[in-house]
Amino acid sequence: APKKLVNSVSGCADDALAGLVSCNPGLRLLQGHRVILRDDLPAVRGRVALLSGGGSGHEPAHAGETPQFPLPAAPGTATAPSSQSRSAGYVGKGMLTGAVAGAVFTSPSVGSVLAAIRVLAQAGAAGILLIVKNYTGDRLNFGMALERARSEGADVRMVVVGDDCAFAAPGKAGRRGICGTVLIHKVAGALAEAGAGLDEIVEKVTAASKALGTLGLSLSPCSIPGSKPSFQLAEDEMELGLGIHGEAGVRRMKVLPADEAVETMLKHMTDPSNASHISLTPGCSVVLMVNNLGGLSCLELGIVAGAAVRRLESRGIRIARALVGSFMTALEMAGVSLTLMVVDEELLRLIDAKTTAMAWPNVPAGPAATRREEVPAPMDVPGKPSDETGTGPGAAQVEQVLERVCSTLLDIQDKLNQLDRAAGDGDCGHTHARAAHAIREWMRSRPPPAAPSQLLSCLADLLLEKMGGSSGVLYGLFLTAAARSLRGRSDPAAWADAVDSGIDAMQRYGGAAPGDRTMLDSLCAAAKALHSLRAPGADPLQVLEAAVQSAEVAAEATKHMEAGAGRASYIRSSRLEHPDPGAVAVAAVLGAVLE
């Protein structure tokens, strides 16, 4: 694996956050979580609070540390704001109120996002806006936290940013969220600081994001600490349109001179035949952001920036502001991205508004300190007293069913891992095994509740905390929604309604649908069979047998499908010769329930 200057692979994200807070007096860590917050939380009272985040490795997004410099605008245009101090993240007055970090290239956990929301709500925020980059994991984790926070009475909204111009025909997953998200942070932060309400901020940042585009170009791969590079490029190759985690781009080509490379990027970004293009008309004003993806030298970055200014000027574009530096990186990747936002006078005033965020220009320096007082952990939100009146299977029967499920998942662990290697990172079996071990440990510590709604709600909390991965969030979404549907009910038809509610929740945040080669294929097939429970006199056992058979057939059928969602959607269909592991796991779980 490539050399890294870290203390340990497992602790690198935590060490980076600790160092950041030690050197910046305006930031605080949230106790027990990878969450960075402003140190003046009382100032949030009565204002909208902004929360964003993502995996580590993209510093300074959203709470990292890196130098930057602004490029002067073209002659006759307004000058770019200056920066003569080190930059250190986008948390501060006039930008984000907080940022939630995950491990390297891994979405932050639902628990940490929810803890951050609770702290801001308890500080008296007049609404909380989550600004999320368009990646499945981020949407799922932030979306699940949003739903949990709303159920506690918090006023929370979510804006998903997708600014990638790479793909001419974006699939169901949509445009990826990359460096343009930083400009959305700035616009939203300026509005919040001016006292705008949540509805107004959502409306204006949504409009701004529609006039926003970004495209990346790489000369080298990157590598997660402890791992080999994510891909390989020949010495004379560069790749256009790759993602900030090293995801595949749209074209590999011979290395070009900087001027030609920038022209190639701008042509792709503005090509009307590209469904992801940004529309630029002569005379329009833009904010230009030239972003170092992590390993490009400052010398090369300045050359690229100058080329971008010249090429845009030749198109008659007015560069109202130009920012050059490391704004959203991909570890040590040698590459650059260009971001363009079409602006009017109001948007430009918001971009120019003062902020204390350390990764934005004009940040005042402060004294260093090795330790800073942590923000106290949020108070526990008391659970809603149960109004459950229905009766479910006895605790002993519940334990028997759950034990069969756990045994089944452990028996097929290796099979699921093998299926997952073709389309993912080969850990599907490990993920489900973690769930099985967690359920067993939970049952040893206490008898499971017999009431169906309480049972599913407890399982949802358990899997969200212990299972990990997108699967954990998806199961958590399914079980949370199903539990809500079962409140006060235990009749057979209620279970059909509960499964439908769970599937709706998974689709709402996961973005997949039947036929996309995911666990939903098995679930939806089973749900269709379970609809027979609504018929008078239906035999629940016979209906469940039919549901299991339908799920097994659907799981096997996924081997013939082209992936439309999830990590497998980035793999060529010709390489997907086996059933989807998530669909196989769902069918196995249903079969274990029936035994």
Side-chain angles (χ1 to χ4, degrees):
K3 292 177 285 188
K4 301 286 184 183
L5 194 60
V6 299
N7 294 317
S8 69
V9 171
S10 60
C12 58
D14 294 313
D15 289 349
L17 290 178
L20 171 69
V21 172
S22 295
C23 296
N24 291 284
L27 303 178
R28 294 289 184 270
L29 274 170
L30 176 59
Q31 188 178 56
H33 296 277
R34 287 191 187 120
V35 176
I36 296 287
L37 295 165
R38 287 168 51 173
D39 73 334
D40 60 342
L41 284 184
V44 176
R45 179 172 295 278
R47 298 181 187 273
V48 173
L50 306 177
L51 189 65
S52 191
S56 298
H58 303 304
E59 290 76 17
H62 301 84
E65 184 170 7
T66 179
Q68 65 175 39
F69 58 94
L71 182 73
T77 66
T79 58
S82 64
S83 174
Q84 298 180 9
S85 61
R86 288 185 62 79
S87 313
Y90 301 121
V91 176
K93 184 178 180 181
M95 282 192 81
L96 298 177
T97 320
V100 190
V104 177
F105 288 1
T106 302
S107 297
S109 69
V110 174
S112 289
V113 178
L114 183 59
I117 293 173
R118 286 172 176 167
V119 166
L120 299 180
Q122 291 168 14
I128 299 165
L129 178 61
L130 310 182
I131 302 174
V132 179
K133 298 189 300 299
N134 187 32
Y135 287 96
T136 300
D138 288 358
R139 289 201 319 268
L140 285 170
N141 289 316
F142 278 85
M144 183 70 233
L146 177 148
E147 290 295 318
R148 295 284 294 276
R150 281 183 175 173
S151 71
E152 297 168 4
D155 185 12
V156 190
R157 301 277 295 277
M158 184 166 84
V159 171
V160 179
V161 181
D163 57 309
D164 188 12
C165 292
F167 296 101
K172 179 170 291 187
R175 298 168 67 184
R176 297 175 293 204
I178 42 182
C179 191
T181 311
V182 176
L183 293 178
I184 297 300
H185 293 163
K186 185 64 182 66
V187 171
L191 286 166
E193 189 60 32
L198 187 55
D199 288 340
E200 180 185 353
I201 296 175
V202 170
E203 178 185 352
K204 289 187 175 178
V205 299
T206 300
S209 66
K210 292 178 180 177
L212 178 66
T214 300
L215 186 66
L217 180 72
S218 175
L219 304 176
S220 79
C222 61
S223 57
I224 294 174
S227 300
K228 294 181 179 180
S230 53
F231 62 94
Q232 296 294 332
L233 277 174
E235 286 293 321
D236 61 346
E237 283 185 328
M238 52 176 35
E239 183 157 353
L240 184 71
L242 76 172
I244 55 173
H245 310 94
E247 303 98 326
V250 292
R251 192 196 329 166
R252 287 195 177 186
M253 52 195 179
K254 297 297 183 182
V255 173
L256 299 172
D259 280 355
E260 294 179 33
V262 168
E263 179 63 20
T264 300
M265 296 174 73
L266 291 175
K267 277 185 176 179
H268 189 89
M269 294 174 71
T270 59
D271 183 354
S273 67
N274 176 2
S276 301
H277 80 285
I278 178 172
S279 297
L280 298 181
T281 56
C284 73
S285 294
V286 299
V287 169
L288 165 67
M289 182 174 278
V290 183
N291 173 55
N292 187 345
L293 286 171
L296 204 67
S297 69
C298 291
L299 182 144
E300 294 165 281
L301 199 64
I303 294 171
V304 170
V309 170
R310 289 193 298 273
R311 297 291 179 169
L312 287 169
E313 285 178 340
S314 71
R315 287 167 162 80
I317 306 302
R318 177 177 178 265
I319 306 166
R321 301 289 185 272
L323 300 173
V324 184
S326 297
F327 299 98
M328 184 175 290
T329 62
L331 293 169
E332 81 280 27
M333 182 181 290
V336 66
S337 68
L338 300 180
T339 297
L340 297 170
M341 175 187 273
V342 179
V343 294
D344 55 18
E345 288 303 316
E346 180 187 12
L347 267 181
L348 199 54
R349 283 195 300 271
L350 296 171
I351 293 292
D352 287 343
K354 295 290 185 182
T355 177
T356 63
M358 303 292 273
W360 200 260
N362 295 325
V363 177
T370 56
R371 293 180 62 86
R372 299 195 185 280
E373 183 180 352
E374 292 184 339
V375 175
M379 296 178 291
D380 288 335
V381 177
K384 179 184 175 185
S386 174
D387 55 3
E388 197 72 50
T389 58
T391 57
Q397 187 177 351
V398 170
E399 287 191 36
Q400 291 174 3
V401 171
L402 290 178
E403 178 55 37
R404 289 200 302 268
V405 169
C406 293
S407 296
T408 298
L409 291 178
L410 292 173
D411 288 344
I412 64 172
Q413 177 179 353
D414 291 340
K415 176 183 178 181
L416 295 179
N417 283 337
Q418 183 177 359
L419 291 174
D420 195 33
R421 289 188 190 103
D425 49 11
D427 68 346
C428 183
H430 295 322
T431 301
H432 284 79
R434 280 198 301 271
H437 289 305
I439 292 171
R440 279 181 168 174
E441 183 178 348
W442 174 63
M443 289 193 295
R444 284 194 295 267
S445 67
R446 71 192 76 179
S453 178
Q454 293 178 2
L455 174 64
L456 297 192
S457 184
C458 289
L459 287 172
D461 290 342
L462 183 68
L463 297 186
L464 284 168
E465 180 183 357
K466 301 290 187 180
M467 187 174 185
S470 295
S471 296
V473 184
L474 288 167
Y475 280 116
L477 282 166
F478 176 87
L479 292 168
T480 298
R484 190 181 304 124
S485 180
L486 283 170
R487 283 179 185 164
R489 301 177 63 189
S490 60
D491 55 291
W495 287 95
D497 295 341
V499 172
D500 284 349
S501 296
I503 289 172
D504 287 344
M506 292 172 71
Q507 290 184 280
R508 189 178 310 123
Y509 294 108
D516 282 343
R517 198 181 187 276
T518 69
M519 66 168 64
L520 271 176
D521 291 298
S522 292
L523 266 179
C524 290
K528 187 175 180 180
L530 290 174
H531 290 173
S532 297
L533 291 172
R534 296 172 180 146
D539 183 338
L541 190 58
Q542 290 182 357
V543 173
L544 184 55
E545 288 176 348
V548 171
Q549 291 175 0
S550 297
E552 291 172 346
V553 171
E556 184 65 19
T558 59
K559 69 164 61 174
H560 306 299
M561 296 178 183
E562 182 171 345
R567 188 172 283 147
S569 64
Y570 299 108
I571 307 295
R572 293 193 305 272
S573 59
S574 60
R575 292 177 55 190
L576 302 175
E577 302 170 348
H578 305 289
D580 176 71
V584 171
V586 166
V589 168
L590 291 173
V593 172
L594 175 63
E595 287 178 6

